[in-house]
Amino acid sequence: MTADASPAHYDFHSVERRWQEEWAKNSVFTVPDVPPADRPKYYVLEMFPYPSGQLHMGHVRNYALGDVVARYKRARGFSVLHPMGWDAFGLPAENAARERGVHPKEWTLANIAAMRETLKRLGFSLNWDREIATCLPDYYGKQQKIFLDFLAAGLVDRRESWVNWDPVDHTVLANEQVVDGRGWRSGALIEKKKLSQWFLKITQFAPDLLDGLKTLERWPERVRVMQERWIGRSEGARLRFPLAHPPEGLDAELNSVEVFTTRPDTLFGMSFLAIAPDHPLAAKVAETNADAAEFIAECRRLGTSVEAVETAEKRGFDTGLKVAHPFLPDAAFPVWIANFVLMDYGTGALFGCPSGDQRDLDFARKYNLPVTPVVLPAGETADTYRIMDKAWTGDGTMINSGFLDGLSCADARKEAIARLEGLGVGSGVVNWRLRDWGVSRQRYWGCPIPIIHCKSCGAVPVPDEQLPVELPDDVTFDRPGNPLDHHPTWKHVACPKCGKPATRETDTFDTFVDSSWYFARFTAPHTATPTNKAAADGWLAVDQYIGGIEHAILHLLYARFFTKAMKQTGYLDVSEPFAGLFTQGMVNHESYKDQNGNWLYPEEVERSGTSATHRETGTPVTIGRVEKMSKSKRNTVAPSAIIDRFGADTARWFVLSDSPPERDMEWTEAGVAGAGRFVQRLFRIVTQVAASCPVDAAPAAEMPEAVDTLRRTTHRTIVAVTEALEAFAVNVAVARLHELTSALADGERAADQPGMAFARREAARTLCLLSAPMMPHLAEELFAIIAPGAGMVVAQAWPEADPALLTVTRVKLAVQIMGKLRGTIEAEPDEDAATVIARAEAEPNVARLLEGQKIVKRIHVPNRIVNFVVAR
RNA sequence: GCGAACUUGGCGGAAUGGUAGACGCACGAGACUUAAAAUCUCGAGUCCGUAAGGGCGUGCGGGUUCGAGUCCCGCAGUUCGCACCA
């Protein structure tokens, strides 16, 4: 499809390029680092992309939506910061290096260039001077500085931690890279291995991160709920169970087992103590007990696969050890190693109360451990109450519980904690599910952790003047493991403290670190320090953040943590990075398969009605599900190809048109084509108006009906589109613009009436201004034609509706009998009730149906409805 | 298992408790054309009826109300998130 030369055809290629150049030439989207004081600021940010090589439709939707907000707010008089950058570190670059021999840096920078090109063709109102790429030393060097400041502030820790180790690739894998217990790439059986790792102490901020959620009113409720659960605050008690007969040579630390419980009220129902397979005491037992060692090894193998966790039955190993009970001096309870106890939560040990916890009950039944009911539900009697196969987790009255008998569960919890504290063996505590954030990755393509390991001085921070610690370019990927480790010289340096030979840390940061502060860097991307305080304080928080729901937990939580930690270290002054969050839906597409079951690209398929055939071979094609665009299903549509065929405005208009932005949308050929037709139609109509209605056309004092109707539609549309955009209902705004377009086209029929030329120009001009956030190029082009000399659309204020044209002159009311519609009548606005009701009663169809009925009630809702209630 | 969201024509969807289906896509009829494309006009929830009009309609069952897509209770289905959290 090529643009033809006829004047009625809109040549989007040249027009779009021209306006993009015009905007760039005039730097219209440039804002200073410190927001100007004369206008309110507005910071719009979309989640920056990973430079995979090609922009996809999800990006187009995300950025089109952000651009609507940015351009709208600009028109409303805000000074808008709208930057773009690249989340440029990460594994795919290393994979490309290993598979195709391209250097990760080259690969990444080439991808960025390609994607930047496509983004620019889409005409987004981005401040390109602020572009950043996380893989450049200018960015990651500042990140190293922040890390060292966090370290000095006590927000960083180095400790041993379990990782998924791939023994073939010599690398650590993320949980999602372990499939069925094997490495996703090598297929090797994954081992659990302990490595020294750097941790960011996000748990220090757990209460702040939880409380902060309450202030995030413009976040989706479900995201807040997900984060709340992830942080996982719970109240309970910690207490120690001393070992009755500690084995010889046991560390004092292991003489007792510490347990966390939310149910200290049920302590008298205890029948065993269970520890995690990774618990230090389990390891101690395994030293001398081969069976225990075998059991632990088995648990670890199972632990790696997700399905195994789902279906694994509760299994345990009796260590033979016994513990004493703080409230029952005469009793002793067995210590089991159990596969359902998590080392990561609480203390890695629990006391089992089978009557009050389903897991404990299942475990007790399996191993014939005693079950003592301690909570009596209302309506049961102690003598006859038995626990069968369901534990009672609800409220009730304490029984079989010594000094707690007769208390409610809540009172018993308080009393139990008081007693534990009195005995000095435990206390009430708040426990958090949130764990510290391990940020070490054994990879090349990431931000180097700025630490030097010295045999005498330990882990020494790289001095500020030696920052950034740059990645060496001369690396090879011809053998497994981390290239930084194999590099002949890079890691060998002098210790900054003592000057003796030492080695650099060869781990790099988790890439989530890179994206945890980029929004702050955008406020002053060229400053020598990580942030410029005045810029950061001036622009932050981000007023509207837009991205996919897949980042609901990790990215958003880490960014919130970084903001609080950066506040503590003096980099900025806000507590929350994103005041408003919008999560947009995915872009889906039909998928296609040929007769042999191979996926086909949309452009290989010829659709006709409900069936499809292969474009070249003519063989039948199976139309599959509508699902997320993905390379593996080949159901992708490349934005650049769409821009080639239809132009940027059409692509943008379509992704904004039909579906509400928070929901998934389906990309269809017919849909884009329809959007393309609308672009052409608008162009035709507005150019026709410009040609036939004089520029100096004046409004008429007395407007004929058609003129009045068009002007009122114009002004009502201003209100409707404004409301829709404020509510993020872009699809509704699009619908209202369709309506105004049709009304404008209708105006031609009454072209000769007094004031119509003015009304049509007004409608056309308004249409340009209102559609500019969605179709900025077309809006500029048409505005230049319809409003010569008025300057660019990007320099115009958002239109204001004339209140005089928003009033209604006549209203149509529905007339109901018993709530059923029976007719409609017209009335003056706010006409008195008696007159309106009388007119309603006289409406022929209503009168007919009311014949012989007794009206018991007449309901009149002014300007809306009249409803007659009749006796039955 | 726990939690959340959603369910409206052939399709995407609209609708401060007040005329359900705006707007778009697909579809049908007509105009223009030698023809097609493009464009323009008109039509359309469904059933009965020539029509006027009427019955039924927002997943299912109940409730509140003069009036429910909208509020409340229960159920089903779909989707998403978390998942042995002591």
Side-chain angles (χ1 to χ4, degrees), chain A residues 18 53 70 80 84 87-88 116 144 159 162 189 233 237 274 290 335 367 508 510 578 650 654 701 752 766 777 853:
Chain A
R18 197 171 71 239
V80 174
M84 180 54 70
D87 190 10
R116 186 197 294 119
Q144 292 167 341
R159 63 177 96 117
W162 293 100
L189 269 180
R233 180 186 195 274
V335 177
Y367 293 108
T508 52
D510 178 4
F578 313 120
T650 294
F654 176 53
D752 300 336
T766 305
H777 313 87
Q853 302 276 4

Side-chain angles (χ1 to χ4, degrees), chain A residues 97-140:
Chain A
R98 284 180 206 282
E99 282 158 17
R100 277 171 280 155
V102 205
H103 193 281
K105 186 178 186 177
E106 258 172 60
W107 184 84
T108 305
L109 294 180
N111 288 348
I112 288 175
M115 290 170 74
R116 186 197 294 119
E117 157 84 16
T118 312
L119 273 183
K120 288 199 167 176
R121 289 182 69 200
L122 282 160
F124 297 126
S125 63
L126 293 163
N127 188 172
W128 280 104
D129 307 339
R130 292 173 182 274
E131 179 180 1
I132 54 181
T134 58
C135 66
L136 300 179
D138 187 49
Y139 182 83
Y140 70 69

